[in-house]
Amino acid sequence: MRHTTIDSGAERLLETGLTSGRLSARGVNRLLSVALTLSDLAGAPGQIDEPAVAQALALRVDPRIGEPGAVGSTSPLAEEVAR
């Protein structure tokens, strides 16, 4: 069984997304999956931190406008994906 830890900064970002209505419970689940993958690739398996969640948010596509980075902060990677 694999155990994952989520730091307080990551929890705050997720809570903000939920309370603002920009993320559903399903969206949080998907976001956590992406953030965990990003953390694994960064060499921190099983640890979801604030930068991983922020990057996952930047990669998220808002279905209302169809652009990457529409929810959360944008990153150079999200801008590259949009091109």
Side-chain angles (χ1 to χ4, degrees):
M1 179 184 270
R2 183 174 168 175
H3 297 282
T4 302
T5 59
I6 303 172
D7 76 9
S8 60
E11 286 182 354
R12 268 193 309 276
L13 282 176
L14 295 170
E15 175 101 17
T16 301
L18 275 170
T19 57
S20 70
R22 291 180 175 241
L23 285 176
S24 63
R26 182 177 173 193
V28 168
N29 189 37
R30 288 178 167 192
L31 200 72
L32 286 172
S33 294
V34 172
L36 182 58
T37 300
L38 292 169
S39 291
D40 287 346
L41 291 171
Q47 300 174 11
I48 299 175
D49 58 6
E50 186 175 0
V53 172
Q55 188 173 8
L57 278 167
L59 292 172
R60 190 170 188 271
V61 175
D62 188 335
R64 293 171 291 185
I65 56 177
E67 295 179 10
V71 175
S73 60
T74 59
S75 69
L77 181 59
E79 292 173 6
E80 183 177 319
V81 171
R83 291 185 201 146

